[in-house]
């Protein structure tokens, strides 16, 4: 919902609530934080649903995306972006990597509101690089090739 709102704002010529230049967007809908915690469980959401919006965000400067699941590599290649895969089902572990979370816009969207996250040592894997190389596709092909031998 946050991505959709940002793209709608851009289509109307409005400014975004943050500077997207060189930003990395984490597709996450965190649970509420427990007392004394920065954020609740913060596992990645399935990113393919964002493919309708990601090219627009990348066209205005966003360069990284974090999520889970397959993506289309064309926008990563066109805009020199990188898609990082996070571990699905490890929301509690990933939340420990988030040292600070600030609400920046669309608070009415609850878990889908925009937050600026400060992270350290988040365990991520480059799934699609800026050349469009796709680990999901290439890794599967390499596995199948070894299996045939």
């Amino acid at each position: 919902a946050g991505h959709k709102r940002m793209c709608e704002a851009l289509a109307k010529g409005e400014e975004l609530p943050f500077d997207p230049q060189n930003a990395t967007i984490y597709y996450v809908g965190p649970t509420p934080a427990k007392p004394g915690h920065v954020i609740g469980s913060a596992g990645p959401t399935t990113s393919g649903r964002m493919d309708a919006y990601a090219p627009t965000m990348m066209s205005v400067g966003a360069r990284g995306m974090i999520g889970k699941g397959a993506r289309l590599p064309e926008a990563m290649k066109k805009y020199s972006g990188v898609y990082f895969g996070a571990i699905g089902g490890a929301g509690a572990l990933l939340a420990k990597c988030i040292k600070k979370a600030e609400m920046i816009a669309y608070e009415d969207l609850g878990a889908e509101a925009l937050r600026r996250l400060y992270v350290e040592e988040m365990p991520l894997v480059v799934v699609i690089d800026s050349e469009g190389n796709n680990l999901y596709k290439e890794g599967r092909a390499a596995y199948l090739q070894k299996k045939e031998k």
Side-chain angles (χ1 to χ4, degrees):
H3 248 47
K4 181 179 179 185
R5 226 181 248 187
M6 287 187 291
C7 289
E8 288 170 349
L10 288 170
K12 293 177 189 174
E14 299 172 0
E15 288 195 24
L16 295 178
F18 70 98
D19 180 5
Q21 197 63 41
N22 296 317
T24 297
I25 299 172
Y26 183 21
Y27 302 124
V28 60
T31 62
K34 293 179 182 176
H37 291 242
V38 172
I39 199 165
S41 183
T45 61
T46 303
S47 304
R49 296 176 291 149
M50 308 307 166
D51 284 344
Y53 309 113
T56 299
M57 293 305 300
M58 295 181 83
S59 75
V60 295
R63 290 295 170 259
M65 311 283 166
I66 302 170
K68 69 177 182 182
R71 300 294 304 274
L72 298 174
E74 291 80 16
M76 301 304 161
K77 187 173 181 179
K78 181 177 181 178
Y79 296 107
S80 297
V82 178
Y83 173 54
F84 299 96
I87 304 163
L93 169 69
L94 294 167
K96 290 180 181 181
C97 300
I98 299 170
K99 304 304 178 188
K100 184 177 177 185
E102 300 171 350
M103 180 68 64
I104 58 171
Y106 314 143
E107 191 169 358
D108 62 301
L109 296 178
E112 293 190 43
L114 300 185
R115 294 169 177 78
R116 180 173 288 114
L117 304 177
Y118 298 85
V119 301
E120 291 180 5
E121 299 183 23
M122 186 175 270
L124 303 171
V125 174
V126 174
V127 176
I128 302 174
D129 67 16
S130 62
E131 300 289 317
N133 297 305
N134 186 333
L135 180 63
Y136 290 144
K137 183 178 178 182
E138 294 167 16
R140 179 174 171 76
Y143 169 78
L144 291 173
Q145 188 176 33
K146 279 186 174 183
K147 190 175 175 182
E148 290 175 2
K149 288 182 181 182

